[in-house]
């Protein structure tokens, strides 16, 4: 039986921090409680309960000296209520959640409308909503987003940290069309993203997928749904009792992933159970041992990152997140040889090292920087990638979670979320055979594997181009651009590295229903820069401003007594509106529609019909043109209808009337000319 265990499984940074906060404070206070279950995992909650740490669900329930606020955070009024009761607060809100709360608070104070993409009842969302006075609009699907009210106010969008990228993209697509003044903050936690990406990769290979975690855990539920899409035999496992043992055979490939609130001991229990499928379990752990086991696992030869905690003349101490700290001796620090550790590092520096020995006999981990540097020295391409240099690959294959390629024997994976600068690519196969420029996100030196991004590079290049473009822009200038996107409220135009917006009202001098009536995507156009706001990165463009106003020359184009051709665009009880050109409509009053008696305008003309009419009057100030159709048709209302020849007779009469009018107009013009000549 093959077992694939996700690297990104078990406690995330925020949950680990919250659990640690409880452990560290159990003995500091006479009594301790947590506001809500510290994590969505019944075993951990039960473990704490046995030690006297109870989860309370409201401020009224608190009867302990101190309370721990879990990683989801809580609304400000909860903090205030505990303080008022004199309860000591240990705030274990995850720093990522805290950042969202701050973003929302600032935006709300600046009169933004807040939209949270997430689950209405989720404690994290409830907490965030508390930072905008509970006024956020919370949506959990594109459909819900469509029903949000329209607004002219700025809109600030954030996401619940455990939302999926798919949902985020779907909802954002709706919001971007709906709101012009929108600030998008992708607050999905990278730990969640990595976990979901890896779970998908494993689910694609597994025949049985076990998703470990509490049933109440939102991120575990999402993992379960994602894995189910790729592996039909996906099971939710809260404890080993949930493993569907009778359906698993030794031929199966077992994939194992776990939600952010799943302790490592459960993962290990499940792995053990799966690998010793027929053997009874005999392992028991104390609660503290189990918590210990939730710390990082390491093995010799592994590359790990850590933080320097001390430096002396002979070695440096490093915290690698393992239960014991590690150290690198002076000899193992560089390839160059005799350099004092103090000349190279100081406390707080980040460092990447190789694990040499997990226990030196005194419980310390022996690490080496030199071993890692030696590996890199022998592998120049990987060393350059590791150092942050960009590289190019030709995409070999599209797999469900992204794209794969190979470079000098190095396996490169580009997650679907890292292909474009924005958004998740659904149709991955279009990239196969294409050459992409990449930058590494993660490098596994030992396994010669790289996870890379193309999207971030594109975004960086765009930012550079945008900076250059901004420096060249001035208000009032006319520039060339390409229409990139059409929204209900206008058209976005790329004017050389930056996008500006032509508001719908600035597209044409006439009323425009939809921007697509005037422009198409990829149209190359000229626009005038109406205003620039560098701080908000907003550029207002004008398109109609470079076009002639239709009414400016209307008097010359449509003089009184001229004959015009137009299309009936609207019929009202008092007449028909005839479009002479975009932006200029004339009115044929009902009394001027026909020589015959008509009850309704529709009895003589219909919308869409092309008609000829005589200009009776034009007023460019009020933008009105009066037209007459009947003036160009003979008055046959009093004539008898001569049977079969009616059409011919009417046509001849109409022609005669028209000729007579033209003659009259010419006569009038001649008269005016001779009077002018006399005047001279
Ligand atoms: Fe924090 Fe991310 Fe975990 S937001 S609580 S580290 S899932």
């Amino acid at each position: 039986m093959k077992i694939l265990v996700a690297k990104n499984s078990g406690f995330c940074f925020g949950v680990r921090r919250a659990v640690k906060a409880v452990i560290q404070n159990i003995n500091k206070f006479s009594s301790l409680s947590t506001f809500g279950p510290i994590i969505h995992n019944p075993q951990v909650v039960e473990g704490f309960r046995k030690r006297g740490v109870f989860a309370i669900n409201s401020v009224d329930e608190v009867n302990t000296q101190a309370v721990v606020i879990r990683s989801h955070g809580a609304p400000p009024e909860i903090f205030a209520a505990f303080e008022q009761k004199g309860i000591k607060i240990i705030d274990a809100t995850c720093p990522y959640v805290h950042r969202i709360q701050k973003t929302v608070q600032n935006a709300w104070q600046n009169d933004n409308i807040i939209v949270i993409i997430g689950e209405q009842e989720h404690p994290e969302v409830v907490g965030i909503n508390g930072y905008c006075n509970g006024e956020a609009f919370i949506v959990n699907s594109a459909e819900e987003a469509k029903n949000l009210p329209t607004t002219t106010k700025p809109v600030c969008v954030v996401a619940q940290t455990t939302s999926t990228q798919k949902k985020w993209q779907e909802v954002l697509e709706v919001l971007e069309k709906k709101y012009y003044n929108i600030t998008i903050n992708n607050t999905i936690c990278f730990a969640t993203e990595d976990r979901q990406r890896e779970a998908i990769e494993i689910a694609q290979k597994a025949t049985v997928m076990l998703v470990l975690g509490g049933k109440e855990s939102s991120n575990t539920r999402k993992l379960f749904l994602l894995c189910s899409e790729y592996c039909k035999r996906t099971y939710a496992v809260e404890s080993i009792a949930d493993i569907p043992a009778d359906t698993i055979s030794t031929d199966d490939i077992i994939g194992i992933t776990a939600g952010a609130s799943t302790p490592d001991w459960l993962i290990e229990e499940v792995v053990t159970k799966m690998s010793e499928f027929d053997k009874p379990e005999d392992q028991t752990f104390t609660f503290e041992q189990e918590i210990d086991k939730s710390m990082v696992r390491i093995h010799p030869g592994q590359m790990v990152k850590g933080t320097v905690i001390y430096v002396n003349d002979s070695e440096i101490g490093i915290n690698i997140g393992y239960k014991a700290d590690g150290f690198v001796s002076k000899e193992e620090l560089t390839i160059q040889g005799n350099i004092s550790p103090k000349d190279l590092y100081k406390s707080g520096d980040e460092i990447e090292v190789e694990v040499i020995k997990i226990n030196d006999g005194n419980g310390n981990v022996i690490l080496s920087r030199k071993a890692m540097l030696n590996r890199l020295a022998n592998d120049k391409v990987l060393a350059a990638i590791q150092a942050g240099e960009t590289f190019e690959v030709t995409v070999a294959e599209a797999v469900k979670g992204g794209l794969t390629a190979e470079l000098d024997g190095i396996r490169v994976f580009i997650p679907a979320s890292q292909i474009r600068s924005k958004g998740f690519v659904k149709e991955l196969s279009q990239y196969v055979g294409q050459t992409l420029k990449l930058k590494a996100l993660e490098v596994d030196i030992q396994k010669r594997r790289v996870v890379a991004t193309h999207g971030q590079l594109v975004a960086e290049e765009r930012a550079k181009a945008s900076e250059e473009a901004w420096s060249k822009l001035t208000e009032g200038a006319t520039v060339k651009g390409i229409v990139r996107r059409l929204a209900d409220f206008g058209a976005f135009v790329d004017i050389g590295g930056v996008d500006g917006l032509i508001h719908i009202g600035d597209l044409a001098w006439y009323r425009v229903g939809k921007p697509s009536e005037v422009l198409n995507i990829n149209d190359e156009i000229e626009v005038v820069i109406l205003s620039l706001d560098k701080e908000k990165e907003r550029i207002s463009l004008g398109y109609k401003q470079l076009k002639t106003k239709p009414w400016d020359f209307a008097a010359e184009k449509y003089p009184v007594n001229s004959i015009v051709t137009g299309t009936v665009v609207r019929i009202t009880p008092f007449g028909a509106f005839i479009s002479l050109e975009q932006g200029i409509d004339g009115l044929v009053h009902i009394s001027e529609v026909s020589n015959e008696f008509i009850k309704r305008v529709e009895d003589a003309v219909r919308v869409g019909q092309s008609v000829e009419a005589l200009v009776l009057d034009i007023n460019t100030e009020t933008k009105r043109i009066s037209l007459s159709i009947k003036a160009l048709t003979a008055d046959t209302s009093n004539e008898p209808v001569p049977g079969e020849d009616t059409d011919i007779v009417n046509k001849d009469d109409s022609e005669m009337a028209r000729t007579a009018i033209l003659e009259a107009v010419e006569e009038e013009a001649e008269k005016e000319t001779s009077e002018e000549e006399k005047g001279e």
Side-chain angles (χ1 to χ4, degrees):
M1 177 183 290
K2 198 170 172 188
I3 302 174
L4 309 169
V5 185
K7 265 195 300 171
N8 297 293
S9 57
F11 285 180
C12 65
F13 156 77
V15 166
R16 192 182 303 282
R17 195 169 160 269
V19 171
K20 224 171 169 181
V22 176
I23 294 170
Q24 284 170 345
N25 285 287
I26 286 181
N27 296 325
K28 274 196 198 158
F29 295 95
S30 56
S31 53
L32 186 68
S33 54
T34 62
F35 186 60
I38 187 71
I39 58 173
H40 286 142
N41 184 281
Q43 293 102 322
V44 175
V45 172
E46 178 58 17
F48 282 132
R49 201 186 60 76
K50 284 186 184 150
R51 275 153 190 81
V53 182
F54 290 90
I56 53 157
N57 292 310
S58 73
V59 179
D60 294 340
E61 286 175 42
V62 71
N63 58 4
T64 51
Q65 194 192 356
V67 64
V68 179
I69 303 290
R70 57 189 166 172
S71 58
H72 297 319
E77 61 267 23
I78 296 291
F79 282 81
F82 281 130
E83 264 166 27
Q84 214 176 18
K85 284 192 144 199
I87 310 294
K88 168 86 184 144
I89 299 171
I90 297 141
D91 185 4
T93 306
C94 175
Y96 300 126
V97 176
H98 195 59
R99 202 164 58 201
I100 306 174
Q101 294 169 343
K102 279 261 161 268
T103 304
V104 163
Q105 190 175 40
N106 287 339
W108 179 72
Q109 283 166 350
N110 285 311
D111 207 24
N112 277 231
I113 298 289
I114 308 295
V115 177
I116 305 173
I117 300 175
E119 297 155 67
Q120 182 107 28
E121 305 296 331
H122 192 280
E124 180 191 313
V125 175
V126 173
I128 295 168
N129 197 11
Y131 285 80
C132 58
N133 202 28
E135 292 172 14
F137 290 100
I138 301 162
V139 290
N140 206 20
S141 68
E143 271 316 303
E144 286 176 19
K146 282 181 193 159
N147 295 328
L148 287 178
T150 50
T151 178
T152 50
K153 283 189 177 185
V155 176
C156 167
V157 188
V158 296
Q160 185 181 335
T161 52
T162 50
S163 293
T164 61
Q165 279 292 346
K166 190 168 168 262
K167 185 191 293 172
W168 167 254
Q169 285 307 329
E170 285 169 359
V171 177
L172 219 55
E173 224 167 86
V174 176
L175 297 180
E176 280 186 306
K177 278 193 190 141
K178 204 169 183 113
Y179 303 118
Y180 163 48
N181 200 349
I182 183 168
T183 308
I184 295 161
N185 303 282
N186 186 345
T187 50
I188 297 175
C189 171
F190 68 87
T192 306
E193 234 183 298
D194 289 349
R195 187 186 304 268
Q196 291 174 349
R197 176 174 46 77
E198 198 191 6
I200 291 172
E201 279 167 34
I202 293 180
Q204 285 166 359
K205 295 177 195 146
T207 55
V208 173
M209 190 72 197
L210 304 179
V211 181
L212 319 188
K215 293 200 171 95
E216 295 300 313
S217 159
S218 146
N219 78 84
T220 306
R221 278 200 308 269
K222 281 172 198 153
L223 270 184
F224 175 80
L225 291 175
L226 276 177
C227 292
S228 305
E229 274 183 41
Y230 299 92
C231 176
K232 282 201 178 82
R233 291 163 70 201
T234 295
Y235 300 93
V237 175
E238 194 171 72
S239 72
I240 51 169
D242 296 326
I243 296 174
D246 48 345
T247 67
I248 297 174
S249 82
T250 47
D251 295 336
D252 274 320
I253 301 170
I254 311 293
I256 297 175
T257 184
S261 46
T262 312
D264 280 5
W265 78 77
L266 176 61
I267 302 171
E268 285 182 14
E269 265 183 7
V270 172
V271 173
T272 308
K273 170 93 179 164
M274 296 318 300
S275 43
E276 298 171 14
F277 207 54
D278 299 321
K279 293 181 192 164
E281 295 164 70
D282 57 357
Q283 290 197 48
T284 48
F285 300 107
T286 68
F287 186 65
E288 283 74 11
Q289 279 171 331
E290 286 165 346
I291 291 290
D292 260 3
K293 280 152 79 55
S294 72
M295 299 289 164
V296 168
R297 282 168 294 175
I298 54 171
H299 56 81
Q302 185 180 343
M303 302 293 159
V304 289
K305 282 188 181 153
T307 310
V308 176
I309 47 177
Y310 71 86
V311 183
N312 62 30
D313 291 333
S314 58
E315 65 185 29
I316 65 171
I318 302 170
N319 174 5
I320 52 167
Y322 186 61
K323 60 184 176 186
D325 291 331
F327 69 86
V328 183
S329 65
K330 180 181 172 183
E331 295 71 33
E332 288 297 318
L333 212 46
T334 66
I335 306 176
Q336 286 85 359
N338 199 15
I339 303 179
S340 166
K342 286 181 175 167
D343 293 339
L344 296 170
Y345 295 99
K346 59 178 183 332
S347 286
D349 282 353
E350 296 231 318
I351 185 168
E352 190 163 10
V353 286
E354 184 176 325
V355 177
I356 303 296
K357 212 171 180 189
I358 294 175
N359 190 337
D360 66 350
N362 295 317
N364 296 315
V365 184
I366 301 181
L367 305 166
S368 170
R369 172 90 179 146
K370 191 164 126 185
M372 196 203 82
L373 294 171
N374 272 333
R375 271 187 211 257
L376 281 176
N378 295 332
D379 199 337
K380 296 230 161 25
V381 178
L382 201 58
I385 292 174
Q386 158 90 352
E389 279 184 29
T390 58
F391 58 101
E392 282 190 353
V393 294
T394 303
V395 176
E397 209 187 337
V399 291
K400 273 207 175 156
L403 304 170
T404 60
E406 204 175 294
L407 176 74
D408 250 14
I410 301 164
R411 285 172 60 200
V412 181
F413 176 70
I414 311 145
S417 59
Q418 295 294 334
I419 299 170
R420 288 194 191 137
S421 60
K422 253 183 171 187
F424 204 82
V425 176
K426 283 184 196 148
E427 195 45 66
L428 291 166
S429 56
Q430 58 179 307
Y431 290 94
V432 175
Q434 278 190 32
T435 301
L436 295 180
K437 194 172 170 190
L438 306 173
K439 188 174 86 169
L441 293 174
E442 275 172 47
V443 180
D444 187 329
I445 296 164
Q446 204 179 7
K447 292 186 182 151
R448 302 192 88 234
R449 272 196 215 145
V450 173
V451 178
T453 175
H454 175 63
Q456 280 184 24
L457 273 184
V458 173
E460 280 165 22
E461 279 166 13
R462 274 212 195 121
K464 212 170 140 207
S466 155
E467 195 51 47
E468 270 178 40
W470 270 96
S471 65
K472 291 180 196 154
L473 300 177
T474 46
E475 283 181 10
T478 299
V479 290
K480 288 204 165 101
I482 299 171
V483 179
R484 292 289 186 215
R485 189 161 69 84
L486 299 178
D488 291 348
F489 50 81
F492 288 92
V493 181
D494 177 351
I495 52 171
V498 282
D499 281 1
L501 173 73
I502 311 174
H503 191 268
I504 191 162
D506 287 314
L507 279 172
W509 289 112
Y510 50 90
R511 209 190 136 274
V512 175
K514 284 188 292 183
S516 56
E517 290 167 15
V518 182
L519 295 174
N520 293 310
I521 289 176
N522 291 332
D523 278 357
E524 290 185 21
I525 56 171
E526 280 207 327
V527 286
V528 61
I529 299 174
L530 300 177
S531 68
L532 294 166
D533 185 339
K534 175 89 176 47
E535 209 176 298
K536 291 186 180 160
E537 296 196 335
R538 283 212 194 110
I539 304 170
S540 294
L541 304 173
Y543 183 62
K544 71 176 184 187
Q545 286 76 358
L546 298 179
K547 309 275 174 207
T548 321
K549 285 187 189 168
W551 280 94
D552 282 355
F553 300 98
E556 285 83 5
K557 279 169 88 178
Y558 310 110
V560 172
N561 284 332
S562 62
I563 294 171
V564 293
T565 305
T567 308
V568 180
V569 284
R570 197 150 51 92
I571 290 176
T572 67
F574 57 84
F577 284 91
I578 313 294
S579 168
L580 302 182
E581 64 179 85
Q582 287 281 30
I584 299 192
D585 291 352
L587 173 69
V588 184
H589 189 266
I590 186 166
S591 60
E592 294 294 334
V593 173
S594 173
N595 279 315
E596 290 173 22
F597 172 72
I598 51 169
K599 270 193 186 158
R600 301 176 316 150
V601 180
E602 296 90 318
D603 294 341
V605 289
R606 60 186 153 70
V607 171
Q609 184 182 343
S610 173
V611 292
E612 281 194 332
L614 184 76
V615 178
L616 300 177
D617 186 34
I618 179 161
N619 185 334
T620 51
E621 267 175 32
T622 56
K623 297 194 170 89
R624 286 203 178 134
I625 300 182
S626 301
L627 303 171
S628 171
I629 296 174
K630 82 171 184 190
L632 299 185
T633 53
D635 184 356
T636 57
S637 55
N638 295 324
E639 288 177 16
V641 179
E644 290 174 350
D645 294 325
T646 307
D647 283 344
I648 299 163
V649 171
N650 282 346
K651 262 188 206 156
D652 289 345
D653 284 356
S654 162
E655 196 51 47
M656 278 167 59
R658 189 175 161 166
T659 314
I661 289 163
L662 283 174
E663 281 170 5
V665 172
E666 274 167 20
E667 231 172 72
E668 190 69 22
E670 268 172 29
K671 225 194 272 171
E672 271 177 27
T673 319
S674 63
E675 269 167 18
E676 271 170 28
E677 281 168 359
K678 262 188 228 160
E680 279 170 7

